Amino acid sequence: MALLKVLEHPDKRLRNKAVPVTNFGAELQAILNDMFETLYKEDGVGLAATQVNIHQRIIVIDVSDDRKSPFCVINPEIIAREGKQYEYEGCISFPGVYDKVERAGKIRLRAQDQQGQFFELDADALLATCLQHEMDHLDGILFVDHLSRLRRDRLLRKLEKSRKQTA
Ligand SMILES: [Zn+2]
């Protein structure tokens, strides 16, 4: 296993569109292991492969409090959405800054597991938010893209300031 380097804003590679996974072999298992290690190290709830410069449609998630419920979704597609929620989001590509983003409240997802088996998943609350956020990454979309220009500028200034303080 190896820790992967997380791309941070404004790295242009965060804007790449990821391609579907077609090979569910040993290479994919190795990527998943490294992504989980990186997710836990960064203390995130979700990580998209795009964020570690692997441009394939792979997401790893653990929204549990005890950090012991890892699962992955591969080639995910939202097949139904319902309602709205408006919650704070952060992103390990934007360390230390948060803002509220409007998302669907409930979603139904169709995806593949690490063996390539198709499954459907109903998600709401934090899991729904997280899945929508990570799926955006696979299309090169960032959570700040959902903010008004005013709030985006404010958040990016805060990000710069916190970087200067830790530099
Ligand atoms: Zn993110």
Side-chain angles (χ1 to χ4, degrees):
M1 303 234 294
L3 269 183
L4 303 168
K5 188 172 158 30
V6 176
L7 303 179
E8 290 187 10
H9 173 82
D11 196 305
K12 286 196 172 60
R13 292 170 291 183
L14 286 170
R15 295 297 185 180
N16 287 4
K17 201 168 150 61
V19 300
V21 173
T22 52
N23 185 342
F24 291 81
E27 195 190 329
L28 175 65
Q29 307 309 320
I31 290 173
L32 287 169
N33 289 341
D34 291 349
M35 284 180 68
F36 276 117
E37 188 178 344
T38 307
L39 177 73
Y40 289 122
K41 166 75 181 3
E42 299 284 343
D43 208 19
V45 292
L47 179 70
T50 306
Q51 291 176 277
V52 288
N53 203 27
I54 295 169
H55 300 284
Q56 300 183 45
R57 304 186 82 79
I58 305 167
I59 291 168
V60 298
I61 285 185
D62 189 342
V63 294
S64 69
D65 287 333
D66 62 4
R67 320 291 290 146
K68 283 180 189 156
S69 305
F71 76 97
C72 66
V73 295
I74 294 166
N75 301 334
E77 259 182 87
I78 293 175
I79 53 176
R81 53 184 94 215
E82 195 187 303
K84 280 186 180 142
Q85 55 177 336
Y86 187 56
E87 296 295 336
Y88 275 98
E89 292 184 22
C91 179
I92 56 184
S93 296
F94 292 77
V97 295
Y98 304 87
D99 209 339
K100 280 182 146 182
V101 178
E102 188 178 300
R103 304 276 186 189
K106 288 183 182 175
I107 56 171
R108 172 167 288 178
L109 204 78
R110 185 165 191 266
Q112 283 167 279
D113 67 15
Q114 62 204 82
Q115 273 83 40
Q117 296 296 319
F118 283 96
F119 66 96
E120 286 187 9
L121 172 77
D122 288 311
D124 63 4
L126 175 61
L127 181 57
T129 294
C130 181
L131 283 164
Q132 291 170 84
H133 176 118
E134 302 310 331
M135 286 178 67
D136 269 357
H137 274 301
L138 301 179
D139 289 322
I141 298 167
L142 300 169
F143 81 112
V144 297
D145 299 345
H146 295 285
L147 303 175
S148 68
R149 183 165 181 172
L150 187 77
R151 287 172 59 187
R152 182 166 57 239
D153 289 350
R154 194 179 60 192
L155 184 133
L156 295 179
R157 272 199 307 276
K158 230 187 255 177
L159 179 66
E160 228 170 277
K161 221 187 255 173
S162 79
R163 275 193 182 134
K164 272 184 199 144
Q165 280 164 359
T166 52

